[in-house]
Amino acid sequence: MQALSLSPPLLTSPPRSLRSKSSNTFRAPRMDRHARISSQFPPLLHRDLALEVASLMESRLGSDLLPSSVPDNVRSFQNQSGTSFGSLDIRYGAPGSSVDFLLESWLHCKVPTGAIDITTLLVYQNDSTDAPHFNLEFIQAGPTSLVLLLDLIPRRDLSFCPDYIDTFYQDTNVDKPRQDLEKLPQAVPYRSPSLYIRSIWSPTAILVSINCGEGGATKMEEIIKGTVASAAKEVLGIWLERCFGTGTGTEMGEEEREYMIRRDRVVKSKSIEIDLSANLPRLFDPDVANRVIAEIQKACARLKSSMP
Amino acid sequence: MQALSLSPPLLTSPPRSLRSKSSNTFRAPRMDRHARISSQFPPLLHRDLALEVASLMESRLGSDLLPSSVPDNVRSFQNQSGTSFGSLDIRYGAPGSSVDFLLESWLHCKVPTGAIDITTLLVYQNDSTDAPHFNLEFIQAGPTSLVLLLDLIPRRDLSFCPDYIDTFYQDTNVDKPRQDLEKLPQAVPYRSPSLYIRSIWSPTAILVSINCGEGGATKMEEIIKGTVASAAKEVLGIWLERCFGTGTGTEMGEEEREYMIRRDRVVKSKSIEIDLSANLPRLFDPDVANRVIAEIQKACARLKSSMP
C-alpha cells in the first residue's frame, strides 16, 4: 500500500461564525481532503456532503485542533486482497480547547452483497464543558440505501437533568431537522441491534434508514443533496454555536464533573467495543484492524491520564 | 356525580407465577373491576385488554398491595357537563414489598374531533430494588387509531450502566414484542412532543401509533387482540418475573441508591407536570383536575418522607 503524503498544515484562522464564512477561507484544507479521499475511494453518493461537513468542521475548529496524531499506515490502510480500504484520522484538541479529539474515518469494504461504505465524523469534548459531543455517520450499501446517524450525543443522564435537555435540545430547536427527515416517505427509523448503542442517543437523534428502491439512485441523490445535507449542516451549526468551546456547558459541581468523566469513558469504550472491535477484524486483516483500533483506543483512553 | 361503591377487599393470595395461574384465582377482582369500569365508560377497543392486564397485575401482586388509597370522588369523577369522565385508583405497596405504588387510570374525554380515551397502568417501584418500573398506556382517538406506550422504565443512567441493560433488557429478550409491533404495516413510531418524556424510556420501549384508516375498525380489533395483546402480556410477564419483588435489582452502593432515589423523584414529578398538570385542567373543571392531580402528587412525593 502506497502511503499518502501528509497534508500541509491546516488552516488555523481564528474561529468565526459558520454563517459568516467565506467559501475561500476553507479552500486549502478542503482541497487537500478532497484530493486525498477522492484518490483513495470510489465515488459515493454521500461523499461530497461528508467532505463538505468535515471541512466546515475543521475550518471552524481551526486552532483548537492539533495536527493529525495517527501514523501513515492508519491514515490509509487496506486488506491484503485490496478489496477493502480505509482512512482514519484523529486530531486532538489543543490546550485550552473544549475539544478532546476529532475523529474522521472513511471505510470501503467489499461484502458478499456488494460493498459497504461507512463515513464517520465524531467530535468528543473534554471535561471543560458538559456540552454534547457531535456525531455524524453515513452507512451506505449501494446507491439507493443510506443509513444516517446524526446527533448531539448527551453527556448527562437526561432523565435526571431536564435543564440539560432544555439548553441543548429544546432551545436549539434541533428536533426540527429530525422531523423533516422522518417526513420523507423513503425514511424509516433505524434501530441499532445493540441496545447499548440505542441508549447513548439524545431524544432528537436522527437515526434513519433511507431506501429509494430499485432505480432510485437519482431520488437518493436528490434526498442527500436536499434534506440530508440541510440536516447535517443545521445540526453542525447548532453544535458549533451552542456546544463547541469552553463556557458552553451547564453548571456542574465537582461531583457531577467526575460522574460525567466516568460516564464519557464508558460511552467511548463501549461504543468502540460494540462498533469497531466487533466489526473491523471481519472487514480487514487482524493486524490492520488492531492497528486502527489501537489508535482510537489511545484517543479514548487519553482522558484517563488526566484523572487522579 | 354518583360515587361508586368501593370494591370488596382484593385477592391477597401469595404471589405465583403468571404462567401457572388458574383463571378462577382472579375472578373476584377481575369481575369487580370489569363491572365498575364497564358501567362507567363507553365500550372501547382496548378496554378488555386493559382490564385483563390490570387484573393479572393486581392478582399477581396480591398481598404486596394495600387497599385503594384514593377517595370516592377521585375513583370516579367527571366534568360539569358530564361529557368527560374518569377514574383514578392508587394502591400503595405493602411494607416489605418492592412496589411503591400501582396507579390505574381511565379517562374518557369529549374533544372537538370526537372523543379521546386514555388508559394508564403504572407500577412504580421503591428503593429496595433498582429494577424497572412498569408502564402501559393506551391512547385511543376513535375506533381506528391507537397509541401504545409500553415499557419497563429504567431507573439507572443506561449509558453509564451497560450491565443494567443486559440484565433487564438484553437477557429478557424484551425487544422481541417491540419488533413484532413495529413490523405491522399499520404501525409508525410514536414520538412524544416532550423531549423530556422521550428521554425516560428504555431502548426497547414500545412507542407506536397504529392507524387502520377509514373502515379499519375490524382490522384494529384484530391487531389489539393479536399483536398488541401478546406484547402487553409478554412485557407484563417479564416485569413480574424479573423486576417485581425485592432481590430483583442489580448491585448498588449507598451512593448509587441515593442517586436512584433522586432520579426517580425527578422522573415522577416531571412526568406528572408534563402529562397531567398540563392536560387534565383542559379536560376537566379545575377543582376536579386539581383533586386528581393532588392524589398522584401525594403518591409520587411519598418516597421523600422516607429520605433522611
Side-chain angles (χ1 to χ4, degrees):
Chain A
M1 181 170 65
Q2 190 88 31
L4 293 170
S5 66
L6 285 177
S7 52
L10 284 155
L11 203 76
T12 52
S13 62
R16 44 165 70 205
S17 160
L18 190 64
R19 285 180 185 133
S20 67
K21 72 185 165 55
S22 136
S23 62
N24 286 334
T25 318
F26 304 134
R27 186 158 295 164
R30 183 189 289 156
M31 290 311 293
D32 168 61
R33 180 184 276 107
H34 250 288
R36 184 168 61 82
I37 297 300
S38 303
S39 71
Q40 196 179 352
F41 292 90
L44 258 186
L45 270 177
H46 69 250
R47 163 82 42 81
D48 289 343
L49 174 59
L51 285 168
E52 191 182 352
V53 172
S55 292
L56 281 170
M57 170 73 89
E58 201 170 54
S59 300
R60 177 67 175 78
L61 264 48
S63 60
D64 277 63
L65 295 177
L66 297 175
S68 172
S69 75
V70 304
D72 287 2
N73 62 5
V74 166
R75 209 166 147 89
S76 176
F77 56 89
Q78 61 180 21
N79 66 354
Q80 251 181 342
S81 52
T83 53
S84 295
F85 32 96
S87 167
L88 172 77
D89 198 8
I90 292 176
R91 297 184 64 192
Y92 292 124
S97 171
S98 73
V99 171
D100 188 20
F101 63 87
L102 162 71
L103 180 152
E104 186 185 330
S105 93
W106 308 77
L107 296 174
H108 171 84
C109 306
K110 270 266 156 51
V111 290
T113 52
I116 187 160
D117 286 274
I118 305 174
T119 305
T120 307
L121 191 65
L122 245 177
V123 186
Y124 279 125
Q125 305 236 73
N126 60 30
D127 65 343
S128 67
T129 178
D130 67 356
H133 306 307
F134 177 86
N135 181 96
L136 170 64
E137 188 161 0
F138 295 104
I139 306 168
Q140 190 154 2
T144 63
S145 148
L146 178 74
V147 169
L148 171 65
L149 314 177
L150 173 60
D151 195 26
L152 306 180
I153 296 179
R155 302 173 70 200
R156 303 290 289 271
D157 178 3
L158 296 184
S159 299
F160 188 53
C161 304
D163 293 350
Y164 189 88
I165 298 178
D166 290 345
T167 302
F168 295 112
Y169 302 97
Q170 190 74 49
D171 300 348
T172 57
N173 204 18
V174 68
D175 201 38
K176 177 69 170 55
R178 186 199 62 75
Q179 290 169 18
D180 293 342
L181 262 158
E182 294 202 353
K183 268 182 215 147
L184 291 174
Q186 295 84 0
V188 295
Y190 170 81
R191 310 264 182 211
S192 166
S194 158
L195 300 186
Y196 182 80
I197 295 294
R198 285 188 212 165
S199 82
I200 67 169
W201 306 114
S202 82
T204 61
I206 293 170
L207 310 166
V208 289
S209 178
I210 303 169
N211 291 287
C212 293
E214 219 176 313
T218 310
K219 185 70 198 168
M220 179 61 92
E221 200 176 337
E222 188 189 304
I223 290 174
I224 291 180
K225 286 183 176 164
T227 321
V228 171
S230 299
K233 289 177 194 170
E234 186 70 23
V235 176
L236 173 64
I238 292 168
W239 186 83
L240 287 172
E241 276 179 30
R242 304 289 287 266
C243 306
F244 164 56
T246 49
T248 50
T250 65
E251 244 177 271
M252 278 188 292
E254 207 36 58
E255 216 172 296
E256 289 174 294
R257 186 181 311 277
E258 268 173 39
Y259 179 81
M260 182 192 73
I261 292 171
R262 288 192 294 148
R263 188 184 193 279
D264 266 357
R265 203 178 298 156
V266 178
V267 170
K268 287 184 210 167
S269 69
K270 283 294 292 183
S271 303
I272 293 174
E273 180 192 314
I274 294 164
D275 193 6
L276 292 176
S277 306
N279 293 316
L280 268 193
R282 293 190 296 126
L283 302 168
F284 294 92
D285 310 313
D287 63 322
V288 176
N290 291 341
R291 196 165 67 217
V292 174
I293 291 169
E295 284 300 319
I296 302 174
Q297 278 173 332
K298 194 160 69 182
C300 290
R302 214 172 59 116
L303 206 55
K304 272 180 187 162
S305 61
S306 74
M307 287 285 290
Chain B
M1 181 169 66
Q2 190 88 32
L4 293 170
S5 66
L6 286 175
S7 53
L10 284 154
L11 203 77
T12 51
S13 62
R16 44 166 70 205
S17 160
L18 191 64
R19 285 181 185 130
S20 69
K21 71 186 165 55
S22 135
S23 62
N24 286 335
T25 318
F26 304 133
R27 186 158 296 163
R30 183 188 289 154
M31 288 313 293
D32 169 61
R33 181 183 277 106
H34 251 287
R36 184 167 60 82
I37 297 299
S38 302
S39 71
Q40 197 179 351
F41 293 90
L44 258 185
L45 271 175
H46 69 250
R47 164 82 42 80
D48 288 344
L49 174 58
L51 285 168
E52 193 181 350
V53 172
S55 292
L56 282 170
M57 170 73 90
E58 200 172 55
S59 299
R60 177 68 174 77
L61 264 49
S63 60
D64 276 63
L65 295 176
L66 297 175
S68 172
S69 75
V70 304
D72 288 1
N73 63 4
V74 166
R75 210 166 148 89
S76 175
F77 55 89
Q78 61 180 23
N79 65 356
Q80 251 181 340
S81 52
T83 53
S84 295
F85 32 98
S87 167
L88 172 77
D89 198 6
I90 293 176
R91 297 184 63 191
Y92 292 125
S97 171
S98 73
V99 170
D100 188 20
F101 63 87
L102 162 71
L103 181 152
E104 186 186 331
S105 92
W106 307 78
L107 297 174
H108 171 84
C109 306
K110 270 267 157 49
V111 291
T113 52
I116 188 160
D117 287 274
I118 306 174
T119 305
T120 308
L121 191 65
L122 245 177
V123 187
Y124 280 125
Q125 305 236 73
N126 61 30
D127 65 343
S128 67
T129 178
D130 66 357
H133 306 307
F134 177 86
N135 181 96
L136 170 64
E137 188 161 0
F138 294 105
I139 306 167
Q140 188 155 4
T144 63
S145 148
L146 178 74
V147 168
L148 171 65
L149 314 176
L150 174 60
D151 195 26
L152 307 180
I153 296 179
R155 302 173 69 199
R156 303 289 290 270
D157 178 4
L158 297 184
S159 298
F160 188 53
C161 304
D163 292 349
Y164 189 88
I165 298 178
D166 291 345
T167 302
F168 295 112
Y169 302 97
Q170 190 75 49
D171 300 348
T172 57
N173 204 18
V174 68
D175 201 38
K176 177 69 170 52
R178 186 198 63 74
Q179 291 168 18
D180 293 341
L181 263 158
E182 294 201 353
K183 269 183 214 146
L184 290 174
Q186 295 84 0
V188 294
Y190 169 81
R191 310 264 182 212
S192 167
S194 158
L195 300 186
Y196 183 80
I197 296 294
R198 285 189 211 164
S199 82
I200 67 169
W201 305 114
S202 82
T204 61
I206 293 171
L207 310 166
V208 288
S209 178
I210 303 169
N211 291 287
C212 293
E214 219 176 312
T218 310
K219 185 70 198 165
M220 179 60 91
E221 200 176 337
E222 187 190 303
I223 290 174
I224 291 180
K225 285 183 176 165
T227 321
V228 171
S230 299
K233 289 178 195 171
E234 186 70 24
V235 175
L236 173 64
I238 292 167
W239 186 83
L240 287 172
E241 276 179 29
R242 304 289 287 266
C243 305
F244 164 56
T246 49
T248 50
T250 66
E251 245 179 89
M252 279 188 292
E254 209 35 57
E255 216 172 296
E256 290 174 293
R257 185 181 312 277
E258 268 172 40
Y259 179 81
M260 182 191 74
I261 291 171
R262 288 192 292 148
R263 188 183 194 279
D264 266 357
R265 204 178 298 156
V266 178
V267 169
K268 287 184 212 167
S269 69
K270 284 292 293 182
S271 303
I272 293 174
E273 179 192 315
I274 294 164
D275 194 5
L276 291 176
S277 306
N279 292 316
L280 269 192
R282 292 191 296 125
L283 301 169
F284 294 91
D285 310 313
D287 63 322
V288 176
N290 290 342
R291 195 165 67 216
V292 173
I293 292 169
E295 285 300 318
I296 302 174
Q297 278 172 333
K298 194 161 69 182
C300 290
R302 216 172 57 116
L303 207 55
K304 272 179 187 162
S305 61
S306 75
M307 287 284 291

